[in-house]
Amino acid sequence: MKRRDLAFVAVERTHVGRVRKLNEDRVLSRTALGLWAVADGMGGHQRGDLASGMIVDALVAIDPMDSGFAFLDNVQDVIQRVNRTLVAHARLSAPGTVIGSTVVVLLAFGGHYACLWAGDSRGYLLRGGRLDQITRDHSMVQELIDSGALNRADAPAFGRSNVITRAVGVQDSLALDLHSGPIEGDDIFLLCSDGLTGMIDDHGIADVLTTSQSLDEAADRLLDMTLAHGAKDNVSFVLIRADAAQDDTLQRLR
């Protein structure tokens, strides 16, 4: 499918949740550019809201690129600069200070997508009624699952489920993982903080996305379900749909 055949529609939600007093999540939706992100300031550390805010502010300043490779390189460079700034800022603070944030970013250019991430904020792709997680958590739980020491079914009850192994601002060197592929019409991408996936499993998310009549309805249902389940953390997400339909269908999905 040629790039001119695709248009994108996105909706986002962010909520402090039922327990926390401060929302340390930040959401970015630059649909005209093809750039979306969710950053989750690390709870339990100092100024997680500063870290997530710096990431999103830096992505807001990105200009349009002439190629997908240049676009991807620019996004990676921006996040690396934020990482260095946060590490330096923490060193000027009290000993042991960490100012960090997870991040998941989606780029769309020329009929292809690239998803970058660090931490346990996730990216999903719904295609043909099937929901696939296109990111892999950088977390203690995921490492234990990978090693065979923990069953995936037991992961939600694991006592240290909030321990992440990679994030922006934590170490001098930051490795961003990447997943990329072609975009098809009617693809729906979901970027979210763990405040959503900690309350709703993949089956529940897939059910909402496949039975809702619009992105707005799906977003409202996901947020309502999270709040109904207790929303122990901030919850933030972006839903992005690639649509090959005519303008009237796009208008309906807004």
Side-chain angles (χ1 to χ4, degrees), residues 13-239:
R13 300 287 187 273
T14 186
H15 195 285
V16 70
R18 300 291 195 193
V19 176
R20 300 186 183 275
K21 296 181 179 179
L22 175 66
N23 190 348
E24 295 183 315
D25 290 356
R26 295 294 182 270
V27 177
L28 174 71
S29 185
R30 298 185 65 190
T31 302
L33 183 62
L35 179 63
W36 305 268
V38 172
D40 179 359
M42 293 170 61
H45 295 290
Q46 295 88 344
R47 306 299 300 276
D49 57 326
L50 172 65
S52 58
M54 285 183 63
I55 293 170
V56 167
D57 288 345
L59 293 173
V60 165
I62 288 179
D63 294 322
M65 296 286 108
D66 293 331
S67 74
F69 291 111
F71 191 12
L72 178 59
D73 286 345
N74 199 0
V75 170
Q76 290 175 317
D77 288 345
V78 160
I79 296 175
Q80 293 291 348
R81 287 198 298 270
V82 172
N83 182 74
R84 293 191 293 270
T85 300
L86 289 172
V87 169
H89 189 62
R91 285 175 176 158
L92 296 175
S93 304
T97 296
V98 176
I99 307 172
S101 175
T102 70
V103 68
V104 57
V105 185
L106 182 73
L107 301 78
F109 191 98
H112 289 77
Y113 72 87
C115 185
L116 291 165
W117 75 96
D120 61 355
S121 291
R122 293 180 179 178
Y124 289 89
L125 170 59
L126 180 76
R127 175 177 290 170
R130 172 178 170 175
L131 183 71
D132 290 312
Q133 183 179 335
I134 58 176
T135 59
R136 190 171 189 81
D137 294 352
H138 300 133
S139 68
M140 179 180 291
V141 167
Q142 188 62 57
E143 289 185 355
L144 290 172
I145 292 172
D146 291 345
S147 69
L150 180 68
N151 292 324
R152 186 172 297 277
D154 298 329
F158 184 67
R160 304 188 68 186
S161 60
N162 63 336
V163 177
I164 61 174
T165 57
R166 198 184 305 181
V168 182
V170 175
Q171 296 180 331
D172 291 331
S173 178
L174 172 66
L176 292 167
D177 279 355
L178 171 67
H179 179 86
S180 61
I183 303 173
E184 297 182 6
D186 295 329
D187 279 352
I188 294 179
F189 295 90
L190 167 66
L191 308 180
C192 62
S193 65
D194 67 332
L196 176 68
T197 53
M199 296 288 101
I200 309 175
D201 62 19
D202 289 4
H203 177 76
I205 293 172
D207 181 67
V208 169
L209 296 183
T210 55
T211 59
S212 296
Q213 297 301 307
S214 69
L215 291 189
D216 271 316
E217 179 188 332
D220 288 341
R221 289 175 62 190
L222 288 174
L223 182 56
D224 288 346
M225 288 173 64
T226 303
L227 295 174
H229 290 165
K232 298 178 182 179
D233 198 355
N234 308 146
V235 54
S236 300
F237 57 90
V238 188
L239 286 168

